[in-house]
C-alpha cells in the first residue's frame, strides 16, 4: 500500500505546544508528516523561516516519519508536490472554524484530490495561539506552559534585542 502523507502548513511564529500536539496526532494517523513553514513575504514575522524551522526541529528531535520544511505559494501545491493526500489543520476554538472551513473549501476547489483533515488540540491547548503568546511574552508574562523552552527563550531574546534596538 502506498504511503499516506500529510502536510501540516502554518506560520509557526513561533511553534507552540498546540502545534506540537497536532504534529503528534497527525503522526498517529499518517505514515509521513511534512510540517511546512510558510515563507510569506507579505507578513512580518518575529522569526525568520529558518529560525522557525530550526525551533520546530529542535522540539521534534529525530523523528523519522516527520520532516520540517519551508514552502512558498499555495498550500495545495506544496501538498501535491510532496505527494500528500491531506492538509492537516488544528482546530482550537469555535472561532477558528469559519476561517478554516473557508480555507478548506478553497483548497478543495483548487485541488479536489487533496483533503483537509481537522484535528482537535488537547483541552489544555485550546486557548494557545502564537500571536497571544508573543503578546504575553513581550509584556513579561509567563508562557512556559504554552510554548516549549526553545520558543520561550527565542522570544525573550528577540524581544530584548528589539528593546535594545528601539531604545
Ligand atoms: O499558521 P497560520 O498562519 O494559521 O497558517 C495559515 C496558512 C499558512 C495555512 C495559510 O495562510 C496558507 O495556506 N497559506 C498559503 C497560501 C495559500 O495556499 N492560500 C490559499 C489558502 S485557502
Amino acid at each position: 500500500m502506498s504511503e499516506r502523507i500529510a502536510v501540516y502548513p502554518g506560520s509557526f511564529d513561533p511553534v507552540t505546544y498546540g502545534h506540537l500536539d497536532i504534529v503528534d496526532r497527525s503522526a498517529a494517523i499518517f505514515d509521513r508528516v511534512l510540517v511546512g513553514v510558510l515563507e510569506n513575504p507579505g507578513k512580518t514575522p518575529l522569526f525568520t523561516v529558518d529560525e522557525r524551522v530550526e525551533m520546530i526541529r529542535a522540539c521534534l528531535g529525530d523523528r523519522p516519519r516527520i520532516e520540517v520544511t519551508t514552502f512558498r505559494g499555495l498550500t495545495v501545491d506544496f501538498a501535491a508536490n510532496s505527494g500528500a493526500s491531506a492538509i492537516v489543520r488544528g482546530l482550537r476554538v469555535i472561532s477558528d472554524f469559519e476561517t478554516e472551513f473557508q480555507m478548506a473549501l478553497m483548497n478543495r476547489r483548487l485541488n479536489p484530490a487533496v483533503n483537509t483533515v481537522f484535528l482537535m488540540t488537547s483541552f489544555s491547548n485550546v486557548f494557545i495561539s502564537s500571536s497571544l503568546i508573543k503578546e504575553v511574552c513581550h509584556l513579561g508574562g509567563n508562557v512556559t506552559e504554552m510554548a516549549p523552552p526553545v520558543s520561550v527563550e527565542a522570544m525573550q531574546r528577540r524581544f530584548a534585542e528589539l528593546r535594545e534596538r528601539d531604545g
Side-chain angles (χ1 to χ4, degrees):
M1 211 172 87
S2 63
E3 267 192 323
R4 289 205 174 275
I5 305 172
V7 293
Y8 176 33
S11 306
F12 305 102
D13 186 44
V15 63
T16 68
Y17 282 134
H19 295 131
L20 296 174
D21 180 74
I22 296 297
V23 173
D24 279 336
R25 288 175 198 281
S26 311
I29 300 172
F30 294 94
D31 300 314
R32 269 176 68 211
V33 178
L34 305 182
V35 181
V37 181
L38 176 68
E39 290 188 47
N40 186 349
K43 271 195 181 177
T44 38
L46 187 61
F47 298 104
T48 66
V49 268
D50 291 341
E51 287 171 328
R52 285 178 271 156
V53 165
E54 278 317 305
M55 280 188 259
I56 305 170
R57 285 193 181 138
C59 294
L60 293 174
D62 205 9
R63 314 251 304 258
R65 294 190 300 109
I66 303 173
E67 287 159 48
V68 188
T69 182
T70 62
F71 76 101
R72 285 165 189 257
L74 290 173
T75 291
V76 282
D77 292 341
F78 167 52
N81 295 336
S82 310
S85 56
I87 296 169
V88 168
R89 292 288 289 169
L91 274 186
R92 296 162 303 184
V93 282
I94 304 272
S95 53
D96 280 346
F97 186 77
E98 198 174 331
T99 338
E100 292 298 334
F101 193 62
Q102 229 173 2
M103 280 208 293
L105 290 180
M106 175 59 84
N107 283 332
R108 179 185 287 168
R109 184 165 286 194
L110 293 169
N111 186 342
V114 179
N115 275 298
T116 300
V117 173
F118 292 114
L119 295 176
M120 268 187 281
T121 53
S122 65
F123 194 66
S124 55
N125 296 328
V126 151
F127 292 105
I128 298 180
S129 77
S130 295
S131 40
L132 256 187
I133 285 178
K134 280 185 283 195
E135 183 178 328
V136 172
C137 186
H138 186 215
L139 298 171
N142 184 350
V143 291
T144 51
E145 282 181 9
M146 299 165 229
V150 68
S151 297
V152 177
E153 284 155 25
M155 280 188 289
Q156 286 167 342
R157 266 199 312 274
R158 184 58 37 93
F159 288 131
E161 283 162 15
L162 293 176
R163 266 195 297 274
E164 190 135 309
R165 192 197 66 187
D166 300 335

